[in-house]
Amino acid sequence: MRTEPFGPDELGCDAMLGGRVRLWQPIRGYRAGTDPVLLAASTAARPGQSVLELGCGAAPALCCLGTRVPDLRLVGLELQPGYAELARRNLAQNGLEGEILTGDLACLPRALRAESFDHVIANPPYFEAARRIGAEAADREIALAGQTPLALWVQVAAKRLKPRGFATFIQRAERLPELLEACAAHLGALELLPLAPREGRPPRLVLVRARKDGRAAFRFHAPVVLHAGDRHEEPGSRYTPPLAAVMQEGAGLPFPA
């Protein structure tokens, strides 16, 4: 676990959303990819609403969401103090106001237990720690395969939502049954938006949205295709137009109406 802020020689500053967001990240250790960008893009927050991210890391999702939607109240919870400090720095660097709390999902800070939010978002670790070989860097391993059960992520999200509030998760496709089961136990109006790497390929990631007190029937949307072309190596390998708008222009990726 990273307990101290990163030193200057341990960090690099990366551009996201076509340069609209500048994000300090560790040169070695866990580094954000496209996943938090897609999570932020799919969050249907409106100006004036509040958003809590569980396990916010260095706050790439909060920075992307706050840049796309103005006048949000942004709150993040992060287990590792070093990343929590980095998240505060990144919010400030991008001109965003927000609060980053350091704490464990299994034992929330008292201040957070007293609040509720319009949206709760999360990019939980993709792997179960007992089923993989751990990463060398401890902070990266926590991000990839934390010890907290996926069901607890959903339970905490549901408790922190306002009535009719939305929870949005991004997760690997193979853990979808576990995620849907947890959502069905605590939330309603479930929606599934698969993310396929290329046309004709099976989805590797999924976005799941659910609503507190929601009663609508389950909706299984057609996959969003991320990349054009058949192979990564070919010249035509690039984002599809909707994804290029998300990744390079800061557009949203809404669930279909």
Side-chain angles (χ1 to χ4, degrees), residues 115-154:
E115 293 197 61
S116 57
F117 299 83
D118 298 294
H119 296 266
V120 178
I121 64 175
N123 179 11
Y126 285 161
F127 304 99
E128 294 179 86
R131 298 186 179 183
R132 67 189 298 273
I133 298 174
E136 292 184 6
D139 55 347
R140 187 168 188 268
E141 179 62 15
I142 289 174
L144 293 175
Q147 299 293 331
T148 304
L150 190 55
L152 184 58
W153 288 80
V154 176

Side-chain angles (χ1 to χ4, degrees), residues 2-117:
R2 184 79 193 200
T3 59
E4 298 179 358
F6 294 89
D9 58 341
E10 297 180 280
L11 296 173
C13 191
D14 300 311
M16 307 180 82
L17 305 187
R20 292 169 175 80
V21 169
R22 305 290 295 183
L23 194 77
W24 288 100
Q25 300 193 88
I27 296 172
R28 297 179 179 84
Y30 178 74
R31 295 174 58 80
T34 61
D35 307 358
V37 181
L38 298 174
L39 176 63
S42 68
T43 302
R46 301 190 304 273
Q49 290 189 325
S50 56
V51 181
L52 167 66
E53 184 179 10
L54 301 175
C56 68
L62 290 177
C63 289
C64 290
L65 180 57
T67 297
R68 178 171 65 86
V69 183
D71 193 29
L72 292 177
R73 179 169 180 254
L74 302 172
V75 178
L77 175 69
E78 172 51 39
L79 175 64
Q80 303 188 73
Y83 279 89
E85 185 60 34
L86 202 53
R88 298 181 187 104
R89 178 179 179 181
N90 283 327
L91 286 175
Q93 171 161 295
N94 289 283
L96 300 170
E97 293 186 6
E99 183 180 9
I100 304 297
L101 302 173
T102 305
D104 193 332
L105 199 67
C107 185
L108 295 183
R110 180 175 298 180
L112 193 55
R113 295 199 301 268
E115 293 197 61
S116 57
F117 299 83

